[in-house]
Amino acid sequence: MLSFEWGDIQKLAKIVTNVVNPLTGERTLKLVPYENSIQPVPLNFEPPLIEHAVGEKHGFRHHWELLTYAFSLPDPAAFPVLPELTADDRRVLKRYSQMCRQLAGYSALNEESGMYFSHKHGGEPEITLKFPSPEAFGGTSVAFRQLHSGEDSASFDRAKGRLMKAVKLLPAAEQDKATKLVAQWAKARGALINRMLQTIVCEMVAPPVPPDREVPPFSYANINPQKLILTFNYGDTIHFSEDEEANLSTLLETEQNACYYKHSVLSAITNLSHLYFGFALLAEAAMGPSV
């Protein structure tokens, strides 16, 4: 286990290869993010909306392996049909589902992205970032906001509310199971708003630290996804707030911090988007096979 801190960057990694050149004595380490060391993880169901994925490096399965490890969510397609959904309920749920299916094909969530480090002996650390174009990231942020913001009429919160209203009209014997299923998805969403998926998995899988040693920083432990998404949305991408613009400028002052926060906000949006995709299948199951 190796912790890495540089500027605001916090990463925990696992050493997978450690090779020493017998002629020069130089050591080459290959690291993987500690949260990725749990993969592969058997899935409870196929990654939701993977049929809309684009290219070979879309990462749907990668994200669902982490989500499965963290939350072990049940198959959303097995959710019961809710016959008491009104026409207006179905309108909201269909809109939520349609936006999820649209977002699932966006390039920012499908093309390879990431933050990469290298550090040669005697030199300075180097960091590179693969990040979507401003156009691709902006379009993704706008579509994502419709699912994420409680102010939008067909967001996750609104869809959940419509479902729960209909669940309460089920026979008493069926209500408990359906309520618990929705609550599982809502609880996972609440966790992902406050902490990065990578942090959650990292804390679950990292070995115990002896009492006499300092606990290393878990990956992205200093990131609050909800706050970071709002800072980007209102400081640049969707709206312009002078306060958030100032906050964003502070985050992006140095090259390494700019890479870190850009990568983190895309990761936060991607993590939540995949959860929303799963909930879209639950909403579709609730509406029945005619959807």
Side-chain angles (χ1 to χ4, degrees):
M1 187 164 64
L2 180 69
S3 62
F4 179 82
E5 296 176 81
W6 183 24
D8 290 351
I9 297 171
Q10 292 187 4
K11 293 283 290 180
L12 193 66
K14 185 174 184 177
I15 300 171
V16 292
T17 61
N18 183 352
V19 179
V20 178
N21 186 315
L23 299 178
T24 65
E26 289 187 353
R27 184 182 302 273
T28 301
L29 302 178
K30 183 178 180 181
L31 312 174
V32 297
Y34 213 92
E35 60 272 16
N36 291 353
S37 67
I38 51 96
Q39 293 176 300
V41 175
L43 298 182
N44 298 333
F45 45 86
E46 277 296 288
L49 308 192
I50 193 171
E51 66 270 22
H52 298 289
V54 179
E56 297 180 356
K57 298 181 178 180
H58 50 72
F60 274 59
R61 192 168 298 277
H62 165 78
H63 283 93
W64 268 101
E65 287 183 5
L66 296 182
L67 285 165
T68 299
Y69 190 89
F71 305 115
S72 192
L73 291 164
D75 185 354
F79 192 77
V81 174
L82 300 179
E84 298 300 326
L85 288 170
T86 66
D88 195 56
D89 293 334
R90 296 173 70 86
R91 177 186 63 82
V92 170
L93 295 175
K94 284 180 179 179
R95 172 64 182 180
Y96 174 82
S97 171
Q98 288 167 359
M99 280 307 303
C100 283
R101 290 185 175 277
Q102 179 177 314
L103 182 60
Y106 276 29
S107 62
L109 300 187
N110 281 273
E111 294 178 357
E112 184 179 7
S113 61
M115 183 173 59
Y116 305 93
F117 303 95
S118 63
H119 191 184
K120 295 182 179 180
H121 179 70
E124 293 294 321
E126 294 182 2
I127 184 170
T128 56
L129 177 71
K130 285 188 176 181
F131 193 76
S133 69
E135 180 182 14
F137 181 68
T140 298
S141 297
V142 171
F144 172 79
R145 186 185 185 279
Q146 293 191 42
L147 303 173
H148 183 68
S149 173
E151 297 176 3
D152 276 72
S153 298
S155 64
F156 174 90
D157 280 337
R158 300 294 181 92
K160 182 189 72 172
R162 299 295 181 121
L163 290 168
M164 286 307 302
K165 184 182 70 171
V167 165
K168 291 176 181 177
L169 299 175
L170 288 172
E174 301 174 24
Q175 281 188 34
D176 186 58
K177 182 179 179 181
T179 298
K180 287 180 178 178
L181 289 173
V182 174
Q184 278 183 269
W185 286 84
K187 183 178 180 181
R189 192 254 186 168
L192 293 178
I193 284 176
N194 291 295
R195 301 168 73 216
M196 294 287 280
L197 175 60
Q198 293 86 340
T199 310
I200 294 169
V201 173
C202 221
E203 290 185 0
M204 293 173 69
V205 72
V209 177
D212 59 335
R213 294 182 61 186
E214 183 179 351
V215 177
F218 293 112
S219 298
Y220 306 98
N222 57 347
I223 298 294
N224 180 293
Q226 177 75 338
K227 289 181 179 178
L228 188 62
I229 290 169
L230 289 175
T231 295
F232 272 84
N233 281 356
Y234 287 88
D236 178 56
T237 312
I238 299 177
H239 302 286
F240 183 77
S241 156
E242 291 187 355
D243 289 342
E244 290 297 353
E245 191 275 336
N247 291 337
L248 185 60
S249 295
T250 300
L251 295 182
L252 306 183
E253 275 181 345
T254 64
E255 180 187 9
Q256 69 267 28
N257 285 354
C259 289
Y260 181 57
Y261 287 115
K262 286 181 178 180
H263 175 65
S264 295
V265 74
L266 180 60
S267 293
I269 288 172
T270 304
N271 295 337
L272 281 159
S273 292
H274 281 286
L275 184 93
Y276 294 156
F277 299 165
F279 201 71
L281 293 188
L282 187 150
E284 291 174 359
M287 288 186 283
S290 62
V291 178

